[in-house]
Amino acid sequence: MTSVEAAAAREAAEKTGVTIRELREVHEFEDVYRLYDDIWHPDPRNAPVPVELMIAFAHAGGYVAGAYEGDRLVGASVGFRAADRTLHSHVTGAAIGRGIGYALKLHQRAWCLERGLVRVTWTFDPLVRRNARFNLVKLGARPERYLEDFYGVMADAINEGDASDRLLAVWRLTEPPPEAAAGPYTWGVDVDGARPVVGRTDGVVVLVETPYDIETLRREDPEAARAWRLVVREVLGGLMGSGARVTGFTEDGEYVLEKS
């Protein structure tokens, strides 16, 4: 790792009280499998990443790392190398609210730069507001494609019953992220109570609202959750498909899109 990036990664890990390292042994990969099982509670046929695949990724020069609090695994990230000097970060999971995920991403960043990789990509659900804020604001990644029902049916406690639409996040490690476009704004999607409201998309800069907590909404009001999926797919996906760029994410939970 480069000295500056490695130091930043170590500092972030120390703040959370964890040690982050690459994983090599079968029992370590089994720990990751159990951690992911505790986070997502998937159907056994729908595990986020099987142990055998982690073994293969690590053996082939991919990224498999874990965050340890003493001897206990509290976060892990699994990725594989892709085209154009890119790491695709397939799965990252950690205890929420402690900064472990951020420390893992900084470790991942330093690992990539040491190996001459300049981009990290991953997918995330555009409706999960906390992930959007983390990816766009905390890390400075930017969504570059809207992927409709990307994984098909996902049988786990978080995603079950919803289409698996995703945004492809691109984290350019050697470039600063673009600044969020300034107003005036038009609201492509707004909110009324728990439901989305389709607005206007004819402005140069368009805001697309997200639900406050889509995971709770899926359990308590599945119809409203489905409405959010379809409306955000139509407006956010439609704008991105027409060439609009996502340049930021507001404190109120809105994607900022700028048309060419």
Side-chain angles (χ1 to χ4, degrees):
M1 299 182 188
T2 65
S3 58
V4 173
E5 300 297 338
R10 282 194 300 271
E11 181 180 358
E14 288 169 1
K15 283 183 178 179
T16 66
V18 301
T19 301
I20 300 175
R21 58 179 172 82
E22 287 186 76
L23 307 182
R24 299 292 183 194
E25 304 297 331
V26 172
H27 71 88
E28 295 173 328
F29 303 136
E30 291 171 341
D31 287 344
V32 175
Y33 184 94
R34 284 189 288 269
L35 174 72
Y36 288 168
D37 190 71
D38 288 342
I39 293 171
W40 282 284
H41 303 290
D43 182 292
R45 296 166 297 178
N46 193 200
V49 55
V51 169
E52 310 87 76
L53 207 53
M54 287 186 257
I55 294 170
F57 286 165
H59 178 74
Y63 179 82
V64 185
Y68 284 87
E69 189 173 56
D71 295 329
R72 185 168 69 96
L73 186 71
V74 292
S77 185
V78 179
F80 53 88
R81 296 195 192 211
D84 301 322
R85 298 168 67 192
T86 299
L87 177 79
H88 184 73
S89 183
H90 179 52
V91 185
T92 299
I96 294 175
R98 294 184 49 190
I100 297 169
Y102 181 62
L104 274 167
K105 296 307 284 188
L106 291 191
H107 183 274
Q108 188 179 79
R109 174 190 175 91
W111 184 94
C112 287
L113 289 171
E114 183 183 50
R115 289 158 178 79
L117 306 181
V118 297
R119 304 192 319 163
V120 182
T121 61
W122 62 91
T123 62
F124 70 97
D125 187 338
L127 299 184
V128 180
R129 182 181 288 188
R130 70 172 183 278
N131 286 352
R133 181 174 287 114
F134 177 79
N135 293 333
L136 276 69
V137 179
K138 185 81 172 177
L139 296 179
R142 290 292 181 265
E144 295 194 3
R145 289 181 62 195
Y146 190 99
L147 305 168
E148 185 175 328
D149 205 17
F150 186 60
Y151 295 110
V153 175
M154 299 184 72
D156 63 60
I158 294 175
N159 297 287
E160 192 167 18
D162 196 0
S164 58
D165 289 23
R166 294 294 183 265
L167 288 173
L168 177 68
V170 180
W171 193 17
R172 299 182 182 275
L173 305 182
T174 59
E175 304 172 20
E179 293 291 331
Y185 306 114
T186 58
W187 271 259
V189 177
D190 207 341
V191 61
D192 181 11
R195 290 183 172 270
V197 177
V198 177
R200 296 167 44 204
T201 59
D202 55 348
V204 175
V205 184
V206 182
L207 300 181
V208 175
E209 180 70 85
T210 57
Y212 180 74
D213 183 351
I214 187 60
E215 292 163 356
T216 298
L217 198 61
R218 285 185 187 125
R219 295 191 301 269
E220 297 182 353
D221 191 345
E223 186 178 341
R226 282 192 293 272
W228 274 105
R229 176 65 72 204
L230 295 176
V231 165
V232 170
R233 176 188 292 175
E234 174 188 352
V235 178
L236 179 61
L239 285 167
M240 293 180 71
S242 298
R245 296 180 305 123
V246 178
T247 60
F249 195 76
T250 72
E251 292 184 1
D252 293 327
E254 300 146 333
Y255 291 100
V256 182
L257 291 100
E258 184 174 9
K259 295 180 182 176
S260 302

